[in-house]
Amino acid sequence: MGQVSVEFQTDAIDRVIKNTIDVMESSKYQIYEILQVARDELLALTKELQRVMEETDETLQKVDKLELQYQRSRIRLTEVSRDFVRYSERDIRVAYEKATELQLELMMTREREAYLRNRRDELQLRTRGVEHSIERAELIGSQMSVVLDYLSGELDQVTRIVESAKNRQMIGLKIILAQEEERKRIAREIHDGPAQMLANLVLRTEIVERMLVKQEFGLVQDEIIDLKGQVRYSLEEMRKVIFNLRPMALDDLGLIPTLRKYVHDFEDKTKIRTSFETRGKEYRLTSAMEAAVYRLIQEALSNAAKHAYPSYVLVEITYQAQMIKIVVKDNGVGFNVKKVSEQSRESFGLVGMRERVELLEGRIEIQSEENQGTTIIIHIPTNVDKGKE
């Protein structure tokens, strides 16, 4: 009877999973269709925004040109109006009509400029909205693909999946939360840094254009020199954002050279004396494993700089046969590990490190006392046979 019950439950679960897969497959294609429509709309908005920006620049130049012509026409009108001997009534009428014509054209062009600016702002707002929709659709689509991969597995794994569903869900939620936090951090870095600088550069180029129209070449030269400096600084900020996303040196040079550079940059930035040492015979890890180790050490150093206020930090990596040991030790203020753990007051950084290590099936140990510094010891299985390297 018990066997029949288990088989019945398995068949029921199988039907539920198949129905769920069918619904999710249909929903996934609908999401992809929505995503394609949004991308087409974004492309159209981008083209229109580019056209409007070009027309805005042309209108700005025309406004400057008309302002100069209008000022000259007013001066001309004043001259012919005062000198009745040299200029006839017809000359005065022609000068007046010319000034009036330029004034009217200038007013219409300024109205066109205001309209184009408003249209540009509206298109930029719509573009950001569509980009946000695309990001959300891509995220939902990727999450559905992950779920479908799980559900499409063989039925003999269903029991284990059901039994560990809660743990898997918690891990999945933590991963998603970490991804979202990383997205927010990157968006904030780009918005506060390069995006603001680029917006300022656009404004400065408009100023340079006006100076060129007015032939203020001395000021233009100074402005261009300043612009060149801002472009270099913006490029450096973009490189920092890209490096924080994934240091390209990890793929090209490997973990140890990349960490040496990071530790050197960390010391320059924080003015904290930092040493980096390796033990054992170095061997390459998988790309994902090297990235994980890099992030752990990055997080540990960041925590030390923010909370420990040390004057010295040691980073040590030991390579073993199928294990890598990481030690990060500082001489900072330290804390009572037991007391902090009992009060559930561990910093978000330490919690994040624990979760990263758990996902790697490793273990982490934190040794610290108040005014005695802190030592973080991490063991991570590498699943690499050293003899084969």
Side-chain angles (χ1 to χ4, degrees):
M1 186 67 178
Q3 184 177 0
V4 173
S5 177
V6 171
E7 290 177 353
F8 174 78
Q9 290 177 3
T10 302
D11 291 339
I13 292 173
D14 187 27
R15 287 196 301 273
V16 171
I17 289 176
K18 286 181 178 178
N19 290 336
T20 304
I21 289 175
D22 291 339
V23 172
M24 292 191 68
E25 284 284 0
S26 175
S27 301
K28 186 175 73 171
Y29 288 126
Q30 291 177 11
I31 289 174
Y32 286 160
E33 289 176 358
I34 294 171
L35 187 59
Q36 187 58 48
V37 171
R39 285 172 175 163
D40 292 341
E41 183 181 359
L42 178 61
L43 180 61
L45 286 173
T46 303
K47 289 181 178 179
E48 186 176 359
L49 178 60
Q50 180 65 29
R51 181 188 63 77
V52 169
M53 291 183 70
E54 290 174 357
E55 190 174 349
T56 302
D57 291 339
E58 293 174 359
T59 306
L60 283 170
Q61 295 178 11
K62 187 176 181 180
V63 166
D64 291 340
K65 184 178 179 180
L66 286 172
E67 284 180 343
L68 184 61
Q69 292 177 347
Y70 177 62
Q71 293 298 328
R72 289 174 177 172
S73 69
R74 286 177 58 86
I75 294 172
R76 170 67 176 174
L77 179 60
T78 302
E79 290 176 352
V80 299
S81 298
R82 289 178 177 176
D83 194 344
F84 294 98
V85 176
R86 293 177 56 192
Y87 300 103
S88 65
E89 183 179 346
R90 181 178 180 281
D91 293 329
I92 296 174
R93 186 175 64 255
V94 169
Y96 176 80
E97 290 175 351
K98 182 65 174 176
T100 303
E101 178 185 347
L102 287 171
Q103 183 183 28
L104 180 60
E105 187 177 0
L106 179 59
M107 289 174 59
M108 294 176 61
T109 308
R110 281 174 175 167
E111 289 177 0
R112 180 65 178 170
E113 177 190 353
Y115 164 79
L116 288 171
R117 287 182 180 273
N118 291 333
R119 181 61 177 162
R120 180 193 61 188
D121 295 342
E122 177 190 349
L123 288 170
Q124 288 175 338
L125 186 62
R126 288 178 58 189
T127 300
R128 286 194 293 269
V130 174
E131 287 174 344
H132 181 65
S133 298
I134 290 174
E135 288 178 359
R136 287 177 60 84
E138 288 176 340
L139 177 61
I140 293 172
S142 64
Q143 290 173 350
M144 291 182 69
S145 296
V146 171
V147 174
L148 282 170
D149 289 340
Y150 274 116
L151 294 179
S152 300
E154 296 182 4
L155 190 59
D156 59 4
Q157 298 177 351
V158 169
T159 304
R160 282 184 297 168
I161 292 174
V162 172
E163 290 175 351
S164 61
K166 185 175 181 180
N167 291 334
R168 288 179 181 273
Q169 183 187 41
M170 292 302 297
I171 292 174
L173 288 173
K174 288 178 180 179
I175 293 173
I176 292 171
L177 179 61
Q179 290 174 337
E180 287 301 309
E181 290 297 326
E182 187 70 6
R183 283 173 179 265
K184 290 178 183 177
R185 183 189 66 78
I186 294 166
R188 187 166 54 249
E189 283 188 3
I190 294 175
H191 178 269
D192 295 342
Q196 295 287 348
M197 293 175 188
L198 290 175
N200 184 49
L201 287 176
V202 172
L203 179 62
R204 300 294 289 272
T205 53
E206 291 180 358
I207 295 174
V208 170
E209 288 177 348
R210 297 194 178 199
M211 289 179 177
L212 286 172
V213 171
K214 297 178 180 179
Q215 298 185 353
E216 298 174 345
F217 298 114
L219 295 176
V220 168
Q221 185 177 8
D222 295 338
E223 194 71 22
I224 290 177
I225 293 173
D226 188 43
L227 277 174
K228 185 167 63 175
Q230 290 191 35
V231 170
R232 286 177 176 171
Y233 184 73
S234 300
L235 180 60
E236 186 64 29
E237 288 297 306
M238 285 298 298
R239 284 174 175 166
K240 288 180 181 178
V241 173
I242 293 170
F243 184 82
N244 286 332
L245 284 175
R246 171 157 178 100
M248 288 177 285
L250 273 178
D251 298 320
D252 299 334
L253 304 178
L255 177 63
I256 299 303
T258 306
L259 281 174
R260 289 191 189 280
K261 181 182 184 307
Y262 177 76
V263 168
H264 177 74
D265 293 343
F266 173 83
E267 185 176 56
D268 284 346
K269 181 180 179 181
T270 62
K271 309 305 178 185
I272 300 172
R273 189 165 60 91
T274 309
S275 298
F276 180 69
E277 299 178 3
T278 61
R279 300 180 185 277
K281 185 179 178 181
E282 178 187 346
Y283 52 86
R284 290 299 300 264
L285 307 173
T286 63
S287 176
M289 182 68 71
E290 288 189 340
V293 172
Y294 177 86
R295 294 301 183 197
L296 282 169
I297 293 175
Q298 187 181 44
E299 188 70 37
L301 288 176
S302 177
N303 286 338
K306 289 179 181 177
H307 307 296
Y309 309 108
S311 60
Y312 174 73
V313 180
L314 168 66
V315 178
E316 181 182 276
I317 294 182
T318 303
Y319 285 90
Q320 300 172 359
Q322 291 188 347
M323 184 79 66
I324 185 170
K325 177 183 176 184
I326 304 167
V327 177
V328 180
K329 183 177 182 180
D330 67 66
N331 64 349
V333 296
F335 59 96
N336 188 316
V337 178
K338 184 178 180 181
K339 183 178 179 182
V340 169
S341 298
E342 289 175 351
Q343 296 177 355
S344 301
R345 288 169 48 196
E346 270 194 336
S347 72
F348 182 78
L350 290 179
V351 171
M353 289 181 64
R354 286 190 186 278
E355 292 175 351
R356 286 177 188 266
V357 173
E358 288 174 4
L359 289 173
L360 295 171
E361 299 181 357
R363 64 182 189 274
I364 182 172
E365 179 185 357
I366 300 175
Q367 302 172 353
S368 185
E369 290 291 341
E370 293 181 1
N371 301 317
Q372 297 296 320
T374 301
T375 301
I376 299 175
I377 304 172
I378 302 171
H379 292 85
I380 299 175
T382 59
N383 299 321
V384 174
D385 186 355
K386 188 177 177 182
K388 293 180 182 181
E389 293 296 320

